[in-house]
Amino acid sequence: SDKATWKFRAENVRDFAFASSRKFVWDAMGVKQANGGNTVMAMSFYPEEGMPLWDKYSTEAVAHTLEVYSKYTFEYPYPVAQSVNSATSGMEYPMLSFNPRRPDEDDEGVRTYSRSTKYGLIGVIIHEVGHNYFPMIVNTPERDWFWMDEGFNTFLQSLAHREWEEGWPGNVGAPEAIIPFMISKNQMPVMTDPESLIQFGANAYRKPATAFNILRETVMGREAFDRAFKEYAQRWMFKRPYPADFFRTMEDASGYDLDWFWRGWFYSTDHVDISLDRVTWGTVNTKDPDVEMAYKKERAAEAGDSLIIERHANDRRRVLERPELQDFYNQNDNYTVT
């Protein structure tokens, strides 16, 4: 017969997807679990047009996600974690995710990639592979409480960014990054049904992630937060927790009374009734990159690092452990005109 039959089997999964192409390059590496458990195969599937980018970063990003997320939650229970190149947006399924972005090709057929393409690819792979933990394993009811899917994942993604390399562009989950949203109009509580939610990305992704970072860095401290968060993840593996289950577990595993925090950050949009109305800093753009970039560099130095960045200063960095992951953008900062 000229036909073949493929039979797929998996345990403890809530969804299913597969990908097939004659053009796929198949790349893989083993990831040993931290406690000496099973070795997970991190895999990537992409066309030749995905190089030079996917061959260098995709499988490494999958492996990095498993290492970081497992550290804060539980040992990854599935045998594989896969990243497949897609045309448009990222999407997650148990053990398999679709992730966009490829290099650009000039008129002479030479392929290069920008800084935003590089970090956009690594970031989306971390995010989509990370969804294995929330909501594929901790089986949150995302149609009712979307933030229990995206908020948890965005928080852990922010930790993975900081453990990839120092100075990761952007600062997802940091309080200063969400200020424009927090002072905007028409806000709705995080605990709003997703069908009625507006400003979806900020409300369901970034605001919960920021709340968890504030709990970890300021309210509870890292030790108490990490212990309680891991307890929640392990207690609710392959079960279906609701918001109250998370709120209760964080309090019960840490000994902290956090009712006031949940009420302020999740159930309301109340704020402190005091404000500095406006501060405006005006400049004239010279249109000269050397002048403008030097000015931006000076302003960044004056601003300094946020509390979260300072406290992550001594974290492990994947690109230092594996120097082959470094490229042009690791040697040249945003302010150097080339």
Side-chain angles (χ1 to χ4, degrees):
S1 172
D2 59 354
K3 295 183 179 180
T5 300
W6 291 78
K7 294 183 179 180
F8 297 92
R9 181 179 180 274
E11 295 180 2
N12 294 322
V13 297
R14 57 179 278 176
D15 207 345
F16 172 77
F18 75 97
S20 177
S21 173
R22 294 176 180 176
K23 296 189 69 175
F24 276 155
V25 176
W26 180 14
D27 181 42
M29 66 183 290
V31 181
K32 190 71 175 177
Q33 297 283 296
N35 65 358
N38 63 307
T39 296
V40 180
M41 293 306 297
M43 299 185 185
S44 295
F45 300 86
Y46 49 90
E48 190 269 340
E49 290 86 349
M51 300 188 283
L53 185 64
W54 273 74
D55 51 334
K56 188 168 189 174
Y57 293 114
S58 177
T59 305
E60 289 282 352
V62 175
H64 181 70
T65 306
L66 299 177
E67 292 167 3
V68 175
Y69 277 59
S70 292
K71 179 170 65 175
Y72 292 107
T73 58
F74 42 74
E75 181 178 298
Y76 184 77
Y78 298 136
V80 297
Q82 302 169 91
S83 168
V84 181
N85 185 222
S86 68
T88 53
S89 60
M91 184 48 63
E92 70 276 7
Y93 299 88
M95 292 180 268
L96 184 146
S97 63
F98 295 102
N99 300 297
R101 305 211 182 197
R102 295 180 186 175
D104 297 310
E105 188 170 305
D106 64 19
D107 293 338
E108 297 177 355
V110 178
R111 295 196 199 113
T112 57
Y113 53 84
S114 66
R115 180 187 296 268
S116 63
T117 297
K118 170 190 171 179
Y119 290 101
L121 174 67
I122 298 169
V124 74
I125 291 173
I126 290 172
H127 185 89
E128 304 306 342
V129 173
H131 270 305
N132 278 287
Y133 295 80
F134 301 93
M136 301 305 169
I137 297 168
V138 180
N139 190 15
T140 48
E142 55 191 307
R143 289 180 182 271
D144 298 321
W145 309 109
F146 203 74
W147 66 269
M148 295 189 75
D149 172 353
E150 298 296 354
F152 282 80
N153 191 33
T154 302
F155 164 64
L156 289 168
Q157 179 186 355
S158 75
L159 300 181
H161 285 182
R162 297 183 188 106
E163 289 198 29
W164 180 272
E165 70 179 57
E166 185 176 3
W168 176 282
N171 201 7
V172 63
E176 66 269 24
I178 203 173
I179 290 172
F181 168 68
M182 297 296 281
I183 63 174
S184 66
K185 296 180 179 179
N186 301 320
Q187 290 192 56
M188 305 176 76
V190 172
M191 296 287 286
T192 301
D193 187 288
E195 299 291 342
S196 304
L197 202 58
I198 60 174
Q199 302 190 76
F200 213 83
N203 232 328
Y205 289 67
R206 295 189 287 121
K207 188 175 179 180
T210 303
F212 299 152
N213 269 310
I214 289 173
L215 278 177
R216 185 172 189 256
E217 300 291 352
T218 305
V219 177
M220 300 172 67
R222 289 187 177 185
E223 183 179 355
F225 178 90
D226 289 352
R227 182 174 61 249
F229 190 83
K230 179 176 283 191
E231 175 63 29
Y232 166 73
Q234 295 185 358
R235 184 180 291 183
W236 290 96
M237 287 177 68
F238 301 117
K239 298 176 184 175
R240 193 167 179 79
Y242 279 75
D245 299 311
F246 170 67
F247 298 148
R248 277 196 297 265
T249 301
M250 290 300 291
E251 296 186 1
D252 143 298
S254 68
Y256 277 77
D257 178 0
L258 298 170
D259 287 358
W260 62 274
F261 189 87
W262 311 133
R263 181 170 58 253
W265 272 91
F266 291 85
Y267 284 92
S268 80
T269 57
D270 293 344
H271 54 83
V272 178
D273 190 17
I274 185 171
S275 69
L276 176 63
D277 287 347
R278 181 182 296 272
V279 175
T280 302
W281 185 275
T283 62
V284 176
N285 193 324
T286 66
K287 306 297 183 180
D288 182 337
D290 290 297
V291 174
E292 294 301 314
M293 288 302 186
Y295 173 73
K296 289 182 179 180
K297 187 172 185 177
E298 180 182 342
R299 293 287 294 159
E302 290 175 358
D305 291 330
S306 68
L307 180 67
I308 289 178
I309 294 297
E310 288 179 1
R311 290 183 176 175
H312 282 273
N314 296 319
D315 285 354
R316 56 80 63 121
R317 312 289 181 186
R318 189 171 200 88
V319 296
L320 296 181
E321 297 170 353
R322 300 175 71 83
E324 67 271 19
L325 296 176
Q326 298 186 32
D327 64 0
F328 172 87
Y329 298 109
N330 297 104
Q331 311 305 323
N332 296 271
D333 63 26
N334 277 324
Y335 309 106
T336 302
V337 180
T338 62

